[in-house]
Amino acid sequence: KSKEKEHVYMKILVLNGSPRKGNSVAAINAFVGGASKKHEVEVVDAYQLKVSPCMGCGACQCYKGCVAKDDSNMIVDKYWWGITAQLKLVIDKAYCKGTLLKNKKVGVIIVGGSPVGSQQYDLIRGQFNCISNYLGWDILFHKDYYASAKDDLNWKQKEKMCDDGSDRNTVG
């Protein structure tokens, strides 16, 4: 006797990040075509949402959703394991400068809430490396720091970082 797996009905949210009607939409439509036969599927075009960048206030941890009065409360709030929304907005605008920014020298300082060496640093570094490679930027250094409280990187430690470029919490 073979037992068939019981079908589990799901509500599926697809977030489309591309404002163009090209390959991403084609892939989404193909997925939705198959998934909607047995599930409820909703597609949200992220580029049409009015979402302010995360301010890292932590209020969403205490309340049901973001305190900002925007469209973010219809989706999930994320402020971890990646470049912040504010920085990503600025980098996205760098695309329009194209060749004007080519061969610029940049440095990357990552401050995370997990000990240095945790996966979040690799993910952020990888994302920034991809962006830098595409834009033709020359990365001069990467520095990672662990700080879980507002004042973890005190002024003496900051001065040390500036003076000799070394720090026991740093992975270069």
Side-chain angles (χ1 to χ4, degrees), residues 76-90:
V76 265
D77 298 316
K78 299 290 179 211
Y79 185 73
W80 49 280
W81 288 39
I83 293 175
T84 63
Q86 295 90 334
L87 181 57
K88 185 67 169 76
L89 286 170
V90 172

Side-chain angles (χ1 to χ4, degrees), residues 19-133:
R20 297 183 296 171
K21 304 293 182 209
N23 295 324
S24 296
V25 171
I28 289 168
N29 288 341
F31 172 79
V32 171
S36 62
K37 292 176 184 173
K38 295 186 177 186
H39 306 285
E40 180 182 335
V41 182
E42 179 183 1
V43 177
V44 173
D45 293 318
Y47 64 90
Q48 291 182 340
L49 298 176
K50 303 295 183 226
V51 178
S52 58
C54 178
M55 299 306 293
C57 68
C60 60
Q61 301 296 313
C62 304
Y63 306 104
K64 291 185 177 185
C66 183
V67 296
K69 302 299 181 216
D70 61 15
D71 293 335
S72 66
N73 289 308
M74 69 178 284
I75 53 176
V76 265
D77 298 316
K78 299 290 179 211
Y79 185 73
W80 49 280
W81 288 39
I83 293 175
T84 63
Q86 295 90 334
L87 181 57
K88 185 67 169 76
L89 286 170
V90 172
I91 290 171
D92 285 348
K93 293 291 185 170
Y95 177 80
C96 70
K97 299 290 185 189
T99 57
L100 296 174
L101 296 176
K102 197 165 186 79
N103 300 317
K104 293 292 182 183
K105 311 259 186 265
V106 299
V108 180
I109 298 173
I110 303 169
V111 180
S114 295
V116 169
S118 298
Q119 185 180 19
Q120 73 178 35
Y121 298 94
D122 294 335
L123 293 170
I124 294 168
R125 186 181 296 109
Q127 186 178 15
F128 198 83
N129 286 346
C130 287
I131 292 166
S132 297
N133 287 338

